[in-house]
C-alpha cells in the first residue's frame, strides 16, 4: 500500500487512491515553515494524510499528519489572492488541515 503523501523532487505527490494522484509544486519562499512541515510529513514513514472533502470546481480538502513531525509554527498571510491549483491552510490556521483551491477565478 503506497504512502498517501511522499516527497518527489522539489514537490509532493498526494495519492488519493481511486480519486487519483495530485502532484504539488512547493513554494518555500511563500511560507518556509509550511514548506518544512509539509516535507517533514511527506518524509515520515507513518504519515496518515487524508482527503475528507471534495467539491468539484471549488476545492479539495484534507489533512497532513505524521507522528513525530513538529507542528507548523507560523502561517504568514499570502502575498496575493489564491488562484486555481494553489494550496492554503484551512480556516487561516497553521495546519494540519489544508485545501487546494479549484475555482475558475481568483478566490476573493
Amino acid at each position: 500500500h503506497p504512502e498517501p503523501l511522499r516527497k518527489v523532487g522539489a514537490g509532493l505527490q498526494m495519492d488519493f487512491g481511486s480519486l487519483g494522484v495530485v502532484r504539488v509544486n512547493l513554494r518555500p519562499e511563500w511560507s518556509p515553515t509550511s514548506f518544512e512541515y509539509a516535507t517533514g510529513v511527506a518524509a515520515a514513514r507513518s504519515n496518515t494524510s487524508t482527503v475528507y472533502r471534495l467539491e468539484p470546481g471549488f476545492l479539495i480538502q484534507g489533512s497532513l499528519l505524521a507522528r513525530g513531525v513538529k507542528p507548523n509554527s507560523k502561517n504568514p498571510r499570502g502575498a496575493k489572492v489564491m488562484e486555481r491549483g494553489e494550496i492554503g491552510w484551512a480556516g487561516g490556521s497553521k495546519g494540519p488541515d489544508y485545501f487546494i483551491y479549484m475555482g475558475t477565478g481568483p478566490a476573493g
Side-chain angles (χ1 to χ4, degrees):
H1 187 304
E3 289 293 328
L5 176 73
R6 65 187 182 101
K7 187 162 177 4
V8 176
L12 304 175
Q13 180 172 299
M14 304 169 89
D15 185 345
F16 300 132
S18 64
L19 297 174
V21 173
V22 172
R23 292 187 182 207
V24 178
N25 295 318
L26 298 174
R27 303 289 303 262
E29 67 275 15
W30 286 6
S31 178
T33 58
S34 294
F35 172 82
E36 289 174 21
Y37 178 74
T39 56
V41 170
R45 291 181 184 254
S46 61
N47 82 65
T48 56
S49 302
T50 62
V51 167
Y52 55 80
R53 181 177 173 198
L54 173 62
E55 293 190 30
F58 180 55
L59 66 78
I60 299 168
Q61 191 168 2
S63 61
L64 299 180
L65 297 167
R67 180 176 291 149
V69 176
K70 183 179 171 183
N72 192 17
S73 61
K74 297 178 185 176
N75 182 21
R77 184 158 179 87
K80 64 182 196 72
V81 173
M82 291 184 74
E83 296 179 48
R84 183 176 176 84
E86 293 179 342
I87 299 175
W89 295 119
S93 69
K94 300 175 199 169
D97 296 307
Y98 68 89
F99 68 95
I100 303 171
Y101 178 65
M102 301 301 295
T104 56

